[in-house]
Amino acid sequence: MFLNWRRGVIASVLIGTLAGSLLTGCGTGNKASGSGSAGNGGKVTTIEYWHVNSENFGGQTVRDLVQKFNEQHPDIKVVEKFQPNMYLGLMQNLQAALAGGHPPAVAQIGYNYLDYATANLPHLPVEDAAKTDPEGQAFLNNYLPNILNLGRVNGKLEGVPYSISNPVLYYNADMFKAAGLDPQNPPKTWAEVRDMARIIKEKTGNYGLYVQEPSDNWAQQAMMESNGAQVLTRTGGKARATFDSPEAIEAYQLMADMVLKDKTALHATWEEGTQAFITGKVGMYVTTIARRNYIETSSKFKVLTAPFPTFGNKPRRVPAGGNALFIFAKDPDQQKAAWEFIKYLESPEALTTWTKGTGYLPPRQDVTDDPRYLKPFMEQNPLMKPAVAQLPDAVPWVSFPGNNGLQAEQVLLDARDAILGGRQPAAEVLKEAAAKVNKLIGN
Amino acid sequence: MKIAREPGPKFAAIKGYLVPWGCLAPALAFLALFTFWPLVSTLKLSFYQWNMVSPTPKWVGLTNYLEILRSREFWLAFWHTLEYTLILLALNLALPYITAYILSHLVFKGQNFYRALIFLPSVLSLAVAAVIFLWLYNPLAGPVNALLRLLGLPAPPWLSSYRWVIPALAVITAWKSFGYNFIVLLAGLVAVPLELIEAARLEKASNWQIFWRIVRPLTSGTALYVLVMTVIIGSQYVFVPIQMLTNGGPDQASTNLVFFIYQYTFNFFQTGKAAAAAVITLIIFGGLLFLQKRVLEKGVYYEN
């Protein structure tokens, strides 16, 4: 019930934001350079910003944004720090840093750790930070209420939604041609994906497919839920792991069969898989739209994107990926600087740079619709279109409740290795893993 | 003979204690602060549930120990530790032993060159070595697999294969510590009196017989040191490539006891369970050291 409600909200939000609404367009004109940056007696506040953007995942864009902010704010110095292993790795280092008493001021918290971060880590909810700023409310009014819900836990705004993504199917149009497939007709269902992967393997000798395998189960959740499964079912305030249902098993077994039986799909780390795709060794690649810029600029062949494939006629369900910005600074000066930096990152100029440099969809409708900012880009870049088109199919990214959320995520990663590595069939692995996760989240 | 007791017996008795203990004090203070105090804290922590940030650890009694001992991962880590140790004993004790013998008693030309060459990798940090091997092991583009494919051999995905991940990580550690063990063993080998070996040669003993019956027994003290270091330190050295390259994966296939403790502390933030695992590990290795003192020391020859 709860999940359905949340899914409805998110779907309507995302449509609302990106498919066009009128009101927010008038832009409250929140300038990043902000107030109060002058006259601090020459004192410079240094703060850290933690992100997951590696060199081929928008790392350069993060550095550009930070540099620009530092130039505009002589009294604040932001130091950006990359955290490996995606949001899981960032959470782990963050908790250690908090234990050591030196947390970063601002960090990207993946939507899959909102519950965990809010419940376990001391932070300054951005709702409270906004209250100390006379312009705070006006700033938050730039967002549609439902987008802000992505950063809310139990009604409180804990982080400002920053990046929004969903998984799409990238494919190598040149390889499609070489295999005798029509690049204008990418696969729409997983059955077609399997067939085309086989054809690519037979005709070109390359792998047909790679589905991203970072330190999260985002793409796998999209597969299981598009086949009608629920990774986590919430009933009456209690959550249960339900990724061992027949639908979930079927989706995972399809992937395992492609890797182990057909040998048309690649099982490798995210870096290896990405490298394999951009060097033309894999025909189709399911990954986040957030990597659009890197893939587009690094591939020497024609890259196209298609919406995430469905299972027959079943509805597509893609988890809303990305992150919200949280404040972990304890010192009031640092908290103030952190808020100032968040306002900058969420400004129309910075969001435009961010979307162009990564592929993330912006959280602010006014930025998307403004001809001075993203409107021309969104209309011209064909690779972005499937991601925008499937926004109505967004569902929440699973966030395990309780104190053992990090270990629960690891159980799912181990299960993925066990299934795709061929230790046991999907049914057995998922049953075992679900029992374990249920124990960890208190069932 | 009697030592002169000048200012009276009582003061002398105190002085008799004062000097040795005074000399020991700095060392003891550090030992207490950095070894025994953490040990006691770990023991205490193993009875609590605590995530490092919550202000109040929760007392849970023996639950941590029971859950650890009942979990599949702990026993995987235990058996993998043995597996790593066996591979390291072969690569870091047997192999450098034989290499050192060859380079001290059989090959005389270019000795210094070989010694320098073999010692070289041990000046690199293990983290750097791990990154180098990450590139070497890359399943699609790495030189190791390119070579294997060229020879028509199967080219496994080293770091994501259940069967190969432990040997692959052990080789990284072995590559790094081979040189050090080699030098230590070499130092022991050159101390073996040449007369003994020449006498054996006159009686037409083979090189292998000389090694096994003369050199090995006479260098057993050094070998024991290398053996103990390989067993005890090996599992800690292996931690670096595990943490950097596989995170214990795929599916915990490369975890060991040291990584298991790290994972529960800094990945899952269940410090109580990590502490319990640390205490169990301490007991296991303590047992090994006891065994070494009781059994192995007896057959060892020390020059003095």
Side-chain angles (χ1 to χ4, degrees):
Chain A
M1 282 308 233
F2 176 65
L3 197 69
N4 283 335
W5 169 80
R6 251 173 92 173
R7 176 181 304 150
V9 169
I10 291 192
S12 56
V13 171
L14 296 174
I15 306 172
T17 341
L18 283 135
S21 87
L22 344 155
L23 286 171
T24 38
C26 32
T28 29
N30 171 70
K31 281 280 173 286
S33 40
S35 54
S37 50
N40 219 346
K43 204 183 100 192
V44 176
T45 310
T46 304
I47 57 169
E48 273 185 27
Y49 168 46
W50 282 16
H51 60 88
V52 299
N53 302 100
S54 62
E55 221 34 60
N56 49 31
F57 187 29
Q60 187 55 46
T61 310
V62 171
R63 282 196 293 277
D64 292 346
L65 288 169
V66 166
Q67 194 194 345
K68 213 157 173 212
F69 175 82
N70 286 340
E71 279 165 13
Q72 289 173 9
H73 298 75
D75 56 337
I76 302 174
K77 187 173 173 234
V78 176
V79 180
E80 53 87 22
K81 288 219 167 131
F82 163 68
Q83 302 298 320
N85 281 337
M86 289 303 289
Y87 301 116
L88 177 63
L90 188 145
M91 287 305 292
Q92 291 164 348
N93 291 346
L94 178 61
Q95 193 158 347
L98 279 161
H102 300 282
V106 179
Q108 297 178 347
I109 300 299
Y111 296 128
N112 55 334
Y113 292 115
L114 282 190
D115 287 50
Y116 184 82
T118 306
N120 293 286
L121 308 182
H123 61 286
L124 173 71
V126 291
E127 192 172 305
D128 300 342
K131 278 183 194 144
T132 61
D133 178 357
E135 291 175 21
Q137 197 49 52
F139 169 74
L140 292 178
N141 285 344
N142 289 321
Y143 301 80
L144 287 180
N146 287 340
I147 275 281
L148 279 187
N149 279 350
L150 285 174
R152 280 207 166 92
V153 178
N154 300 325
K156 181 147 194 169
L157 187 66
E158 306 281 355
V160 189
Y162 179 44
S163 311
I164 297 169
S165 66
N166 57 42
V168 295
L169 180 92
Y170 295 78
Y171 60 101
N172 181 332
D174 297 353
M175 203 188 287
F176 262 53
K177 268 189 214 143
L181 297 166
D182 178 8
Q184 294 312 312
N185 276 313
K188 288 182 192 65
T189 63
W190 281 100
E192 288 175 20
V193 169
R194 191 174 186 177
D195 284 342
M196 291 189 186
R198 203 179 281 137
I199 295 171
I200 291 173
K201 178 95 192 180
E202 277 166 16
K203 295 276 166 65
T204 68
N206 292 313
Y207 282 106
L209 175 73
Y210 173 69
V211 177
Q212 71 161 38
E213 295 179 32
S215 300
D216 62 53
N217 295 282
W218 188 60
Q220 287 69 29
Q221 186 194 337
M223 282 186 76
M224 291 189 270
E225 300 210 338
S226 289
N227 197 28
Q230 293 264 16
V231 171
L232 194 68
T233 309
R234 292 181 196 250
T235 35
K238 265 212 135 216
R240 269 192 70 76
T242 46
F243 54 80
D244 57 346
S245 65
E247 294 85 3
I249 292 167
E250 190 186 47
Y252 236 125
Q253 192 59 48
L254 168 77
M255 198 58 222
D257 286 348
M258 286 184 71
V259 170
L260 300 166
K261 229 192 264 167
D262 301 359
K263 302 202 190 299
T264 55
L266 178 65
H267 164 49
T269 66
W270 202 21
E271 291 307 317
E272 289 164 358
T274 308
Q275 231 48 41
F277 180 77
I278 63 170
T279 51
K281 292 193 169 87
V282 177
M284 296 177 278
Y285 176 22
V286 173
T287 194
T288 167
I289 190 62
R291 280 204 133 172
R292 192 250 330 131
N293 183 46
Y294 175 71
I295 293 172
E296 200 179 7
T297 51
S298 318
S299 310
K300 286 177 203 78
F301 46 85
K302 189 168 172 53
V303 190
L304 292 171
T305 55
F308 188 81
T310 60
F311 283 85
N313 297 325
K314 293 181 191 172
R316 173 187 300 116
R317 286 173 183 161
V318 280
N323 56 70
L325 298 173
F326 270 59
I327 301 178
F328 294 99
K330 288 189 181 121
D331 169 73
D333 281 347
Q334 290 202 342
Q335 288 178 340
K336 216 174 144 221
W339 173 245
E340 206 55 49
F341 181 58
I342 289 179
K343 282 203 299 183
Y344 167 77
L345 286 180
E346 304 264 358
S347 69
E349 296 85 358
L351 284 176
T352 305
T353 312
W354 187 231
T355 294
K356 286 182 179 166
T358 55
Y360 277 121
L361 304 168
R364 284 175 60 173
Q365 180 59 29
D366 54 332
V367 180
T368 316
D369 288 346
D370 195 321
R372 285 173 303 163
Y373 300 114
L374 276 173
K375 192 166 198 249
F377 176 77
M378 297 299 265
E379 278 170 0
Q380 278 157 25
N381 192 309
L383 269 60
M384 295 298 290
K385 282 184 181 146
V388 177
Q390 64 187 6
L391 277 169
D393 308 323
V395 296
W397 189 0
V398 162
S399 167
F400 291 107
N403 309 325
N404 295 328
L406 299 173
Q407 195 180 356
E409 196 76 36
Q410 184 63 44
V411 172
L412 272 170
L413 295 179
D414 288 348
R416 186 172 73 195
D417 281 337
I419 296 169
L420 302 182
R423 180 165 70 96
Q424 275 176 321
E428 288 161 41
V429 177
L430 290 177
K431 284 247 146 60
E432 207 180 286
K436 214 163 155 190
V437 168
N438 274 327
K439 218 176 137 225
L440 287 171
I441 61 177
N443 288 303
Chain B
M1 197 203 280
K2 269 199 166 185
I3 297 163
R5 295 176 176 180
E6 278 167 273
K10 206 173 172 193
F11 180 79
I14 293 172
K15 200 179 161 196
Y17 284 112
L18 210 62
V19 175
W21 283 106
C23 292
L24 279 175
L28 281 181
F30 278 105
L31 207 62
L33 189 64
F34 292 111
T35 304
F36 292 106
W37 185 54
L39 211 67
V40 173
S41 305
T42 303
L43 192 65
K44 193 177 137 206
L45 191 57
S46 70
F47 299 109
Y48 285 87
Q49 193 181 67
W50 186 49
N51 70 359
M52 287 169 82
V53 282
S54 108
T56 44
K58 187 174 136 202
W59 171 266
V60 290
L62 285 171
T63 318
N64 288 331
Y65 285 93
L66 294 176
E67 286 194 12
I68 287 291
L69 289 172
R70 266 195 232 120
S71 77
R72 166 180 167 259
E73 285 83 0
F74 177 78
W75 292 105
L76 271 181
F78 176 79
W79 292 113
H80 291 168
T81 307
L82 281 184
E83 212 173 310
Y84 279 118
T85 306
L86 288 178
I87 299 176
L88 287 179
L89 282 177
L91 296 180
N92 273 348
L93 175 64
L95 203 58
Y97 212 162
I98 292 168
T99 319
Y101 172 58
I102 293 173
L103 278 181
S104 59
H105 292 292
L106 302 179
V107 173
F108 298 98
K109 220 173 156 186
Q111 263 189 355
N112 286 333
F113 171 72
Y114 289 122
R115 286 175 192 177
L117 201 70
I118 289 171
F119 188 68
L120 205 61
S122 43
V123 301
L124 266 184
S125 105
L126 203 46
V128 174
V131 175
I132 295 172
F133 274 86
L134 177 64
W135 172 71
L136 289 172
Y137 283 149
N138 184 302
L140 295 174
V144 173
N145 280 4
L147 189 70
L148 288 175
R149 270 190 288 262
L150 207 67
L151 299 172
L153 295 169
W158 298 100
L159 298 179
S160 46
S161 144
Y162 280 92
R163 187 190 300 172
W164 291 109
V165 68
I166 286 183
L169 294 181
V171 161
I172 301 176
T173 317
W175 181 78
K176 146 88 183 163
S177 22
F178 185 92
Y180 175 77
N181 290 359
F182 166 79
I183 291 292
V184 171
L185 288 163
L186 191 71
L189 282 161
V190 292
V192 174
L194 281 175
E195 308 91 83
L196 283 177
I197 294 175
E198 273 161 25
R201 286 244 161 80
L202 285 178
E203 294 181 18
K204 300 211 161 59
S206 71
N207 282 331
W208 175 251
Q209 281 172 324
I210 294 174
F211 175 72
W212 195 252
R213 297 186 178 272
I214 298 172
V215 173
R216 189 190 51 89
L218 286 178
T219 52
S220 51
T222 317
L224 182 70
Y225 165 76
V226 175
L227 173 91
V228 171
M229 291 302 274
T230 305
V231 171
I232 308 272
I233 309 285
S235 58
Q236 294 177 37
Y237 275 0
V238 168
F239 167 81
V240 177
I242 298 177
Q243 200 267 335
M244 292 198 57
L245 302 185
T246 66
N247 250 319
D251 183 25
Q252 309 301 324
S254 64
T255 184
N256 78 351
L257 287 172
V258 177
F259 183 77
F260 181 90
I261 296 165
Y262 169 85
Q263 189 182 38
Y264 271 80
T265 316
F266 294 106
N267 289 356
F268 302 156
F269 293 92
Q270 300 173 12
T271 51
K273 279 187 193 162
V279 171
I280 297 171
T281 306
L282 181 79
I283 292 170
I284 294 171
F285 280 96
L288 282 179
L289 281 179
F290 179 76
L291 214 66
Q292 179 243 328
K293 261 281 180 259
R294 273 297 167 86
V295 182
L296 292 176
E297 285 271 1
K298 287 199 172 139
V300 164
Y301 164 82
Y302 288 107
E303 211 177 325
N304 306 318

